[in-house]
Amino acid sequence: MIEFKNVVKQYPNGFRAVDNLNLLVHEGEICVLIGPSGCGKTTSMRMINRLIDISSGEILINGQPNTELPAEELRRQIGYAIQQIGLLPHMTISDNIAIVPRLLKWDEDRIRTRVDELLDLVGLDPDISRDKFPRQLSGGQQQRVGVARALGADPPIMLMDEPFGAVDPITREVLQAEFLQIQERVGKTIIFVTHDIDEAIKMGDRIAIMRDGHLVQYDTPDTILAHPNNRFVRDFVGTDRTLKRLGLIRIKNLMDASPPTCTLDSTVEEAKQCFVDYGAKSVFIVDKDDGTLKGWVDKEELKTNTSLLDAMYEAHWVDIAVRQDATAREALSAMVARGFRVTPVVDRHGKLVGTITLKALQDLVSYDPTSTATTEAVSNVG
Amino acid sequence: MTAAFGFFFLPLLEIKPNRLASGITVNLFEIEGDLRYIALFLLALIALAISFQEKRLQRGWTLVALGNLLIFLTLLLPANAATDLLDGAASLFEEGTRFSNPRIFTSSAIAFGLLGGYIVLFGGLRDLVAEKVNSGVRLFASAIGVIFVLIALFNGSFDIYSILVEFSQRGETLGQRFIEHFVFVLVSLAAGLIIGIALGLWAARDERMEDIILYAVGIIQTIPSLALFGVLLVPLARLGDQSFVNVFQFFIVTLIIGLVVLFFVSRIQGTLPESLRPWAIIIAFVMLFIPVALFTILAITFGFKTVLNVFLDPALSQTLTLVFAGYVLAVLVFWLDRRLDEKRSIRRLRYVRYGLTALATVGFIGLLFSGASQIIGSRQLADISVRNLGVSGIGTAPAIIALTLYSLLPLVRNTYAGLKNVDPAIIDSGRGMGMTPAQIFFEIELPLAVPIIMAGIRNAGISLVGIAAVASIIGAGALGDFILLGVNTTSVDLILLGAIPAIVLAVMLDAILQMLERLFTSPGIRREA
């Protein structure tokens, strides 16, 4: 847990880089500091491990002021990864990762095991990369080593200043996803500085938006997207924040899990009864044995046809359904493209598990504070 | 073509009745003997090389062989002929010519012969490079001629040449002058290294001093060495007259005053008006400069005398050989350690290396002490004058001080550049991981700056070998003595006798420093590979 209490950073020329910052970062969470350049986000981060001195106020780490330990000792207990990576070019990869453990005087055997473990964790083969020098690695690999080095002595807290900033967008996406997986396992308390709102939404458990040294809003990504405090936040998160919000939500948390269903061998009568029961305009047809989606039938069609098979629109599930682990944003995209108001939701094998309506998506992102769907759906993300 | 023409038709040898009188020259065809047949043989080799026109590898080897042969024969054959020439010398000159030590001088044709030999050799080497012959093999192939020349040299085949006559007469002095020269370079380089790295570090760290320091060392470099000697003459002579105790008292007093002023100035800095602040600092530095310069002058001069003594004293120089061997061994172990470590083997050898280095260092310090005590001898402290420590207006003191000053530019500039070159992000990440300032300097900045600093050391070392030769003008000894004497008596041989060892010294120094540079540069930041 990291707590900023009335923290001020004022330079001799009177400029206040950080002005009276109060912020509470919870244990095991990723807190993203974001804002336009010069907003004080990096300064705030660097005050935690005292790379920059605080002018007034204090920062508490697990309740203890961070000025209690000598600065060097404090820093050895806090992981540190930066955009430029800063690997030492004259040391091998294993020596780079071993820097903090060596500073902490671990014994060599323990260090060797730890290095291999970390290389594995970040997806590098220890046998291949251990003795290489940084310049022999690609940019993405170097970033991975940077993360591994920050994790070196297993610090409870990590400071990351645009740690994936120096690679191409595709590699960045991969690294972000991998890092989230790692975080799931290690559960560090992380201060993550970025200027990329998409990265913030993706990585952050909470986002702290800063401007001119002030904290403008500190909330979960969804709350920030749904209820921006003011015009600045609204502009900063972008005009497509509705879509960005949808990108945060998985369909399985949003769908109606009891879809109107008939099996392939149902009679027309049974199907009619189904329309009555569900009050729906369409009923989905599934395979009797494995529940795979086979097509759907509209109410009007049943009036003219005597057989369900004649009345139904047959289609492969890939073409008409969305997967339950897709994001709401992807579902919306599919529905807009196909012109559906209701879309079936399937699992990986094509088994029908629910339906999602366009209205549900609209309700989700409409700014009606009484809408409960939002919080419920979001609280299930994970 | 020019080389061949020169070799065949320009004077090959010159015979002089004595060292000063002008002589008679002889060219290739005027010499009796087998030379013509050998020339034919060489021509046949050329023809052979041409016949391999299409096969580059064979042509390359033939040309290399031919080049080596040319180099060797150009020196050897005239020497054989010269013996006959010297025997019949009397008949060549007019009656009544005074003979004392008639000499055989190598003449311009020899130079052309060597030039031709090297042109052919390098032509062949180019073919071998194109055929991707191993560089070690190539190096050996290109050195064969020189090796044979050296063998013949030690065998006495060239003793007839005047330069070797001079050598046999002055060999012992030459050895001593060579050592003097070496010690000049060594001590000034060591002193320059300490001062230069300190100044370079200061310039890299302190923005206010950056320009001042870099300009200052740049200006020193532009002062002609003779002028520098002149400037140093009077103050050093005056200093030499003082007794050591007086100078030491003066040193302590000025040092205390300087420190007090510096402390005082740094305290009141904040209260001074903006315009006065730089002046206050400058005054403090000037006050400190006096004791620091005094100390430096005494330390360098005395250090030089001591080291020279260690080299020249028979007993001490024997121990020195042992110490040197210890260091070489330590470096070898270090290299071995590196090699093994790359294959992830244990690092036990480290202790052997530390042990050897410690032993050699203890030995070296002991040597310095005994060298120093020999200089002071049995004098009482009160009787020691500064001159006893080696400080005087002319001679070694101004020379070694000037050399140290001249070494500063490359050392300061390269240290500064090396440290400034280190990526700030790397230093930031080191700081962020909890390295102390000392750890950042020794484990990040210094290793990364080593290649550039070493380049500065090489640069300084080579130029010092050249400048040290000038120091003879003020009676400092060293190889310049021969060159000066040669210039004064228009004796090319004497000039060569001074110049060739100096060149050898420079090349050797560069090779050793280059080796050390490679050794201390991490493979992760090496330029090639």
Side-chain angles (χ1 to χ4, degrees), chain A residues 46 49 51 72 75-76 78 80 82 84-91 94-95 99-100 103 112 130-131 133 135 149, chain B residues 342 344 347 423 425-426 428-429 431-437 439 443-444 447-448 522-529:
Chain A
R46 290 166 70 90
N49 66 354
L51 285 170
E72 276 89 22
R75 290 176 197 149
R76 287 168 198 177
I78 299 177
Y80 186 62
I82 53 175
Q84 306 89 336
I85 314 172
L87 296 181
L88 310 193
H90 57 296
M91 289 189 188
S94 62
D95 284 341
I99 289 175
V100 181
L103 289 173
R112 206 165 302 149
R130 197 190 286 126
D131 293 330
F133 287 97
R135 66 167 174 188
R149 187 174 68 171
Chain B
E342 270 168 22
R344 287 197 71 68
R347 299 180 170 188
D423 182 356
I426 297 175
D428 179 59
S429 78
R431 236 159 68 83
M433 285 185 293
M435 294 174 105
T436 60
Q439 284 166 333
E443 285 168 36
I444 299 181
L448 289 179
S522 153
I525 49 170
R526 228 169 255 165
R527 263 162 301 164
E528 77 278 32

Side-chain angles (χ1 to χ4, degrees), chain B residues 217-233:
Chain B
V217 293
I219 285 169
I220 291 174
Q221 202 76 7
T222 62
I223 303 174
S225 47
L226 272 177
L228 197 54
F229 294 144
V231 169
L232 288 170
L233 185 93

Side-chain angles (χ1 to χ4, degrees), chain B residues 25 56 119 147 162 169 181 187 191 207 213 215 231 279 332 359 381 436 451 507:
Chain B
T25 59
R56 209 164 45 179
I119 289 172
I147 292 171
S162 172
Q169 287 168 359
H181 207 99
V187 172
E207 276 178 27
I213 292 174
Y215 276 129
V231 169
W279 290 106
L332 277 179
L359 214 65
L381 186 63
T436 60
V507 171

Side-chain angles (χ1 to χ4, degrees), chain B residues 268-289:
Chain B
I268 62 164
Q269 257 244 294
T271 63
L272 283 179
E274 193 79 32
S275 58
L276 278 180
R277 274 185 212 172
W279 290 106
I281 293 181
I282 289 170
I283 288 169
F285 277 134
V286 169
M287 297 295 286
L288 261 182
F289 179 77

Side-chain angles (χ1 to χ4, degrees), chain A residues 246 249-252 322-331:
Chain A
L246 289 176
I249 300 156
R250 306 261 169 229
I251 285 298
K252 65 177 166 204
V322 292
R323 298 263 295 267
Q324 61 174 351
D325 53 357
T327 63
R329 187 174 180 164
E330 288 161 336

Side-chain angles (χ1 to χ4, degrees), chain B residues 51-293:
Chain B
S51 73
F52 281 131
Q53 203 67 43
E54 297 304 310
K55 298 171 187 161
R56 209 164 45 179
L57 192 62
Q58 282 88 334
R59 188 181 63 184
W61 283 116
T62 320
L63 284 177
V64 167
L66 182 66
N68 277 320
L69 213 62
L70 271 175
I71 292 163
F72 181 54
L73 294 182
T74 303
L75 287 168
L76 184 71
L77 294 180
N80 292 340
T83 320
D84 300 336
L85 203 60
L86 204 56
D87 287 341
S91 62
L92 288 174
F93 290 97
E94 290 169 30
E95 292 280 328
T97 308
R98 232 162 49 91
F99 275 92
S100 69
N101 291 327
R103 299 289 182 87
I104 299 286
F105 291 84
T106 55
S107 194
S108 46
I110 302 263
F112 277 103
L114 289 176
L115 176 67
Y118 272 107
I119 289 172
V120 174
L121 182 65
F122 283 124
L125 284 176
R126 253 180 53 190
D127 282 341
L128 297 188
V129 170
E131 288 291 327
K132 299 195 168 46
V133 174
N134 182 298
S135 66
V137 176
R138 270 191 280 130
L139 191 71
F140 179 72
S142 58
I144 290 175
V146 178
I147 292 171
F148 271 104
V149 168
L150 287 177
I151 292 172
L153 183 68
F154 286 108
N155 205 20
S157 307
F158 299 148
D159 284 356
I160 189 79
Y161 292 141
S162 172
I163 182 168
L164 280 142
V165 175
E166 293 285 359
F167 176 73
S168 65
Q169 287 168 359
R170 298 164 193 271
E172 208 157 301
T173 340
L174 181 69
Q176 191 167 340
R177 293 285 173 270
F178 185 81
I179 289 175
E180 273 174 15
H181 207 99
F182 179 63
V183 174
F184 260 121
V185 174
L186 200 69
V187 172
S188 54
L189 198 58
L193 202 60
I194 296 169
I195 302 171
I197 286 187
L199 287 179
L201 188 62
W202 193 4
R205 285 291 151 82
D206 193 341
E207 276 178 27
R208 290 169 306 176
M209 296 305 293
E210 194 175 309
D211 288 344
I212 300 176
I213 292 174
L214 293 178
Y215 276 129
V217 293
I219 285 169
I220 291 174
Q221 202 76 7
T222 62
I223 303 174
S225 47
L226 272 177
L228 197 54
F229 294 144
V231 169
L232 288 170
L233 185 93
V234 177
L236 285 179
R238 290 280 298 278
L239 185 61
D241 291 337
Q242 308 293 319
S243 93
F244 177 68
V245 177
N246 281 347
V247 171
F248 188 72
Q249 282 165 353
F250 179 72
F251 165 70
I252 295 291
V253 170
T254 48
L255 184 67
I256 290 172
I257 293 175
L259 286 177
V260 166
V261 170
L262 186 67
F263 178 75
F264 182 66
V265 164
S266 63
R267 265 305 171 82
I268 62 164
Q269 257 244 294
T271 63
L272 283 179
E274 193 79 32
S275 58
L276 278 180
R277 274 185 212 172
W279 290 106
I281 293 181
I282 289 170
I283 288 169
F285 277 134
V286 169
M287 297 295 286
L288 261 182
F289 179 77
I290 295 168
V292 169

